[in-house]
């Protein structure tokens, strides 16, 4: 393939790293580019690529969610126009096209969701201050909407979730302008953009379990030789944890339009996986956990996948398919 040839011709030839054009994507890709340059000794050139998810103004749930920020980058890899691509791992479909290698999963950033509220308020403070009026909270995620609604229902407080799209500046702007009382964003993205000071509350996973893979990045390429060279950048504990989360998502056959959350965390040598499936209105949330002792060796990823599949089966047995409304058992 042309992409393979170009990535191995001469140590001085730049490696072409494909990235989305958003400020967050560029920040993430810049971080990866610097580490790749250090490991390979070759310059890295950022190649900006526009994806369907960047140009469409429809809600993610309406346009399919999964893959809309990824497919154009993957096409560029397979066509040899770039040598590697950086993705937010939570955007990556669970099935990869033939010929692509998940070369690197760097160490995960903060996996939590974060609230940016008016007047520096956290979630509880916000709803208390607005007693008698629903707190208007912006998010484009069915997963976040379901868990926010469930939280409000359990406490008997008024809360209205408002669907939003746009980059980080646009979303935070809704709060600054007074149009919304708060927005929920991934803490990792705010950290990478140097905007963590604007967070008014990190939402505890007990309240808001994150999306599978949230806070992690993925570097894909075509060339096995390049993948081998980049292998030293891989963080095995993160790769194994997100493998469990993504296996759960894959077994549920759910995408971004379904309210599904998962988080795998290490507790010594044991991996603890928590999964949530619910209805968008928050009326029903299924929460389950699974634990498995895992050695960080060549079998770890396979064991993590088995853990994710097993938890998904338990969720399906408890009625998760009907809650998601996306598949029949």
């Amino acid at each position: 393939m042309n992409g393979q040839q170009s990535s191995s011709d001469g140590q001085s030839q730049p490696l072409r790293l494909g990235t989305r054009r958003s400020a967050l994507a560029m920040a993430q890709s810049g971080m990866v580019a610097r580490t790749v340059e250090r490991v390979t000794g070759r310059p890295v050139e950022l190649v900006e690529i526009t994806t369907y998810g960047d140009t469409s103004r429809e809600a993610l749930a309406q346009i399919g969610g999964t893959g809309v920020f990824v497919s154009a980058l993957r096409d560029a890899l397979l066509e040899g126009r770039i040598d590697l691509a950086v993705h937010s791992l939570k955007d990556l479909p669970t099935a990869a096209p033939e010929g692509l290698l998940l070369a690197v999963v760097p160490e995960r950033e903060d996996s939590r969701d974060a609230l940016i509220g008016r007047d520096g308020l956290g979630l509880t403070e916000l709803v208390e201050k607005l007693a008698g009026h629903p707190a208007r909270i912006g998010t484009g995620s069915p997963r976040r909407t379901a868990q926010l609604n469930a939280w409000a229902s359990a406490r008997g407080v008024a809360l209205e979730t408002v669907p939003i799209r746009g980059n980080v500046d646009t979303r935070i702007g809704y709060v600054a302008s007074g149009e919304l009382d708060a927005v929920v964003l991934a803490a990792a993205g705010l950290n990478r953009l140097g905007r963590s000071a604007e967070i008014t509350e990190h939402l505890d996973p007990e309240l808001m379990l994150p999306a599978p893979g949230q806070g992690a990045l993925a570097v894909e390429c075509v060339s096995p030789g390049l993948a081998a060279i980049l292998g030293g950048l891989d963080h095995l504990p993160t790769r194994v944890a997100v493998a469990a989360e993504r296996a759960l998502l894959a077994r549920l056959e759910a995408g971004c339009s379904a309210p599904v959350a998962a988080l795998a965390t290490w507790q010594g040598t044991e991996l603890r996986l928590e999964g949530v499936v619910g209805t968008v209105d928050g009326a029903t949330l299924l929460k389950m956990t699974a634990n498995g002792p895992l050695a960080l060796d060549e079998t770890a990823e396979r064991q993590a996948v088995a853990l994710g599949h097993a938890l998904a089966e338990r969720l399906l047995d408890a009625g998760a398919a009907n809650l998601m409304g996306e598949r029949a058992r």
Side-chain angles (χ1 to χ4, degrees):
M1 244 179 145
N2 289 338
Q4 285 180 271
Q5 186 65 36
S6 64
S7 66
S8 58
D9 280 350
Q11 290 304 301
S12 62
Q13 185 172 345
L15 287 166
R16 300 160 300 167
L17 188 155
T19 177
R20 291 171 54 204
R21 297 173 184 268
S22 72
L24 177 55
M26 294 294 287
Q28 293 175 167
S29 297
M31 289 166 43
V32 171
R34 289 188 290 275
T35 58
V36 170
E37 285 179 339
R38 188 184 73 244
V39 168
T40 64
R42 295 172 63 180
V44 175
E45 168 192 335
L46 294 184
V47 179
E48 298 179 19
I49 294 175
T50 300
T51 71
Y52 181 64
D54 294 317
T55 57
S56 173
R57 300 270 57 88
E58 296 177 86
L60 287 181
Q62 293 177 324
I63 60 177
T66 304
V68 297
F69 296 116
V70 172
S71 57
L73 287 162
R74 284 180 156 177
D75 288 345
L77 273 173
L78 292 169
E79 292 164 9
R81 291 185 279 122
I82 56 176
D83 301 302
L84 61 161
V86 177
H87 314 282
S88 290
L89 208 147
K90 69 182 178 65
D91 295 333
L92 206 62
T94 53
E98 186 176 352
L100 290 186
L101 302 171
L102 181 53
V104 178
V105 178
E107 186 171 3
R108 194 178 210 164
E109 241 279 11
D110 194 333
S111 63
R112 294 174 295 178
D113 285 299
L115 186 87
I116 296 181
R118 57 180 285 195
D119 305 323
L121 299 174
L123 186 58
T124 300
E125 298 166 315
L126 193 63
V127 295
E128 288 176 352
K129 182 172 182 176
L130 296 173
H133 303 281
R136 303 184 76 240
I137 301 180
T139 174
S141 161
R143 169 189 62 82
R144 290 172 177 148
T145 298
Q147 293 182 91
L148 283 169
N149 285 334
W151 178 87
S153 177
R155 286 155 184 77
V157 297
L159 185 150
E160 178 189 354
T161 55
V162 180
I164 57 173
R165 285 284 315 268
N167 60 29
V168 170
D169 281 333
T170 299
R171 296 183 187 216
I172 294 176
Y174 289 127
V175 180
S177 69
E179 186 174 344
L180 295 175
D181 298 305
V183 292
V184 180
L185 300 167
L190 294 167
N191 292 346
R192 289 172 181 141
L193 286 170
R195 303 189 68 165
S196 57
E198 296 173 68
I199 296 172
T200 57
E201 182 182 357
H202 287 91
L203 299 176
D204 191 287
E206 284 298 310
L207 184 164
M208 179 75 69
L209 203 67
Q214 184 162 308
L217 298 178
V219 181
E220 287 188 314
C221 68
V222 171
S223 165
L226 179 57
I229 293 170
L230 297 178
L233 300 176
D234 200 58
H235 188 252
L236 186 57
T238 297
R239 180 183 280 266
V240 171
V242 299
E245 297 164 14
R246 286 165 56 76
L248 180 143
L249 184 67
R251 181 65 190 88
L252 293 175
E253 297 180 11
C256 293
S257 58
V260 175
L263 179 64
T265 52
W266 286 97
Q267 299 178 336
T269 58
E270 188 168 81
L271 190 66
R272 180 180 186 270
L273 175 63
E274 183 173 4
V276 168
V277 178
T279 54
V280 176
D281 63 6
T284 305
L285 281 187
L286 282 177
K287 291 188 177 184
M288 292 186 180
T289 61
N291 296 273
L294 290 178
L296 282 174
D297 57 21
E298 65 277 1
T299 70
E301 199 167 351
R302 186 167 66 250
Q303 292 180 67
V305 167
L307 186 70
H309 286 167
L311 184 56
E313 288 294 342
R314 288 172 50 204
L315 286 163
L316 288 169
D317 288 341
N322 292 333
L323 296 182
M324 293 186 297
E326 287 207 342
R327 56 160 288 169
R329 183 74 163 116

